[in-house]
Amino acid sequence: MKLGKKNEKPEHSLWAWTAMLYSAGMGAGILLRAVQEPVFMQQNPPYASLVSPEVLALEFTFYQWGFTAWAFYGLFAMIIGYALFVRKKKVQVSAAIEDVIPNSTVKMSIDIIAILTTIFGLIAAIGLGTAQINGGLNHLFQTNFGLGSTLLLAFIISTIAFVSVWIGVNKGIKIISKFNILVTLALLLFVFFTSDMSAIIVSFGKATLQYLKDFIPMSLSYGSYDPGIKFLTDWTFYYWAFWLAWAPFTGIFIARISRGRTLRQILLGVLLIPSLGTFFWFAVFGTSAFQMIEEWGRYQNEFSNVFSSIFVFFEHYPMATVLNFTTIFLLISFLVTSVDSAVFVISMFTDKGKQLPSKKHRLIWSIFIFLATAALLMLGSAKPDIDVLEAVQKLLIITSLPFAFFMVIMTLIFLWGIYHKKFRNSKSIT
């Protein structure tokens, strides 16, 4: 079943489509956690396992960033895309259920929660991203740039994102997204070819196979696969909340750029291509970091700081300065694509569900996102005893919880509609 007319070709090439969905869906996060998370999992195994701590660390990192996240995105993309291009509905989350639940109050509540959750998720992402960039600059220049530079970074990111979303998907978002992936691939291949390639490939294969084998019991925290409630709250539940918070805007953005593709292409493309790419990314950086620690003979939390770990890692490679500044540049660029795609989707939500929202809405939301992020950063600076970003992350768990239930209802309604459509078609042919 194709999103659009029967003989319609995809609006975007596979390369451009993959670049845009990955930039919107993951982006800066893979740089933020590239070294810190695998090493943390190695030093603090989630549970006892027969596999080596290194393989378990990569397996659990794959689990956090793999099929689960992209399944959330893909499900929204498929269902909203079907409503948008087949059923000719407006670009709103409630479009997925309005044929069965037409109550206007329920529909409005769902759309408002979707907007709020997207905003909270975006603010948290920008706050964490700018904090990492600032942390990287502080590490490189051995100084403390403080709140002023963080606010300046947030302003620069928001401004570039506004320009990108102002000129549209094809001229702004697509070009920046393709550039992001090219630079990311260059960074990945440089580390791969200057590291122990055979060890990376072996680790990638072992961890991927173990992940596929353990996926269901890990997802259920069943028996010996239960890491405990504290670990789940700090890691798994937080990640689930973050993916759920981003699922409406990322899924709808993916749906918006998927015109001309079949539902099968969307699901396989969204689940497999970015997941396998992410697995290889963490295998390259994680395995290389494990080997560094083994060579040192001890670990003194060199990679424990989420904001500076990747910069510390690059210090042990040739052209470290170039790598570090490339990472900072890439962090900014990834955050730009997250912001511009999110602003585009929120603008579609609020501009009566139009596929091409007015530029007035894009301007208003760009300004609002920046001001909200700036207020959050200033509040965190004024209250150093309170981790405001962590509070927003916890708030994400609360605001995204309704989507856990909504996703089940949305999926059942979608499958029911598909089944009846197929059944009616086969009956009419008979």
Side-chain angles (χ1 to χ4, degrees):
M1 186 175 292
K2 183 170 286 189
L3 301 185
K5 297 177 182 178
K6 187 174 181 179
N7 298 320
E8 190 172 357
K9 292 182 179 180
E11 184 179 0
H12 303 284
S13 68
L14 180 62
W15 159 241
W17 180 73
T18 304
M20 284 191 286
L21 73 89
Y22 199 89
S23 292
M26 291 291 180
I30 63 168
L31 291 164
L32 192 74
R33 300 289 189 179
V35 177
Q36 184 265 343
E37 185 165 335
V39 171
F40 178 88
M41 297 297 171
Q42 181 214 25
Q43 298 293 317
N44 306 274
Y47 47 73
S49 176
L50 295 177
V51 302
S52 68
E54 290 75 21
V55 171
L56 178 62
L58 288 178
E59 178 192 6
F60 216 89
T61 304
F62 292 0
Y63 169 67
Q64 309 280 35
W65 292 82
F67 296 149
T68 307
W70 291 101
F72 287 152
Y73 297 165
L75 200 59
F76 260 95
M78 180 179 66
I79 295 174
I80 298 299
Y82 176 78
L84 184 62
F85 295 118
V86 178
R87 303 298 301 278
K88 306 300 180 184
K89 301 289 186 180
K90 294 180 178 179
V91 187
Q92 291 173 332
V93 175
S94 60
I97 63 164
E98 66 180 7
D99 288 340
V100 177
I101 307 176
N103 186 285
S104 58
T105 303
V106 173
K107 288 166 52 183
M108 184 180 294
S109 300
I110 290 170
D111 291 330
I112 290 174
I113 292 173
I115 292 171
L116 291 176
T117 306
T118 300
I119 290 171
F120 284 133
L122 191 60
I123 291 172
I126 298 173
L128 285 169
T130 52
Q132 188 193 14
I133 297 168
N134 208 41
L137 292 172
N138 290 339
H139 178 78
L140 291 175
F141 292 102
Q142 294 297 304
T143 186
N144 184 10
F145 287 105
L147 176 64
S149 64
T150 308
L151 289 173
L152 179 61
L153 286 168
F155 175 76
I156 292 171
I157 289 164
S158 299
T159 302
I160 299 173
F162 165 67
V163 173
S164 174
V165 75
W166 180 270
I167 61 180
V169 173
N170 289 325
K171 294 181 180 179
I173 298 174
K174 182 197 286 189
I175 293 173
I176 298 176
S177 297
K178 289 165 74 174
F179 174 79
N180 285 350
I181 300 304
L182 284 173
V183 178
T184 303
L185 286 172
L187 203 63
L188 174 66
L189 292 175
F190 179 87
V191 176
F192 176 66
F193 286 119
T194 54
S195 302
D196 189 339
M197 292 183 284
S198 60
I200 290 170
I201 293 171
V202 169
S203 296
F204 169 70
K206 285 183 177 180
T208 302
L209 289 174
Q210 198 67 32
Y211 166 69
L212 295 173
K213 175 175 170 279
D214 296 339
F215 178 77
I216 293 177
M218 286 175 71
S219 298
L220 298 174
S221 297
Y222 178 74
S224 60
Y225 293 89
D226 183 4
I229 190 65
K230 185 180 187 308
F231 186 95
L232 289 170
T233 303
D234 290 344
W235 291 93
T236 306
F237 295 163
Y238 164 66
Y239 273 125
W240 285 358
F242 211 97
W243 306 140
L244 277 168
W246 276 44
F249 106 75
T250 305
I252 289 176
F253 180 74
I254 294 171
R256 171 66 177 74
I257 62 175
S258 297
R259 186 181 183 95
R261 298 193 180 277
T262 64
L263 297 183
R264 182 183 292 110
Q265 287 174 334
I266 291 174
L267 280 185
L268 291 178
V270 170
L271 277 177
L272 296 181
I273 297 174
S275 292
L276 291 174
T278 300
F279 296 168
F280 190 67
W281 171 273
F282 281 112
V284 170
F285 283 87
T287 303
S288 302
F290 299 155
Q291 290 187 332
M292 280 184 192
I293 294 171
E294 187 178 355
E295 290 173 4
W296 297 339
R298 88 290 179 268
Y299 178 61
Q300 296 181 332
N301 295 320
E302 286 87 349
F303 301 131
S304 61
N305 189 319
V306 70
F307 299 126
S308 63
S309 58
I310 195 168
F311 302 105
V312 175
F313 174 81
F314 280 141
E315 286 178 357
H316 301 276
Y317 280 83
M319 299 194 299
T321 303
V322 175
L323 293 174
N324 280 325
F325 279 105
T326 300
T327 301
I328 289 174
F329 184 77
L330 195 55
L331 277 167
I332 294 173
S333 191
F334 264 131
L335 283 172
V336 166
T337 53
S338 295
V339 175
D340 60 14
S341 54
V343 168
F344 192 83
V345 170
I346 297 173
S347 299
M348 289 193 288
F349 285 165
T350 56
D351 195 12
K352 301 178 182 179
K354 295 177 182 177
Q355 290 188 40
L356 193 63
S358 70
K359 292 186 175 182
K360 178 179 70 176
H361 283 259
R362 303 180 214 182
L363 172 62
I364 291 171
W365 281 113
S366 296
I367 294 173
F368 178 81
I369 293 296
F370 165 69
L371 292 177
T373 304
L376 186 75
L377 292 171
M378 292 172 70
L379 180 62
S381 177
K383 301 284 185 180
D385 55 322
I386 301 174
D387 192 334
V388 179
L389 284 175
E390 184 180 348
V392 173
Q393 292 169 10
K394 301 298 182 186
L395 184 61
L396 272 179
I397 296 177
I398 299 172
T399 57
S400 64
L401 183 62
F403 282 110
F405 300 104
F406 174 75
M407 192 171 280
V408 176
I409 297 170
M410 177 181 75
T411 304
L412 292 174
I413 291 174
F414 172 73
L415 293 175
W416 179 83
I418 292 290
Y419 170 77
H420 278 269
K421 180 178 180 179
K422 291 292 185 183
F423 178 76
R424 286 195 298 270
N425 288 344
S426 61
K427 188 175 181 181
S428 63
I429 292 172
T430 303

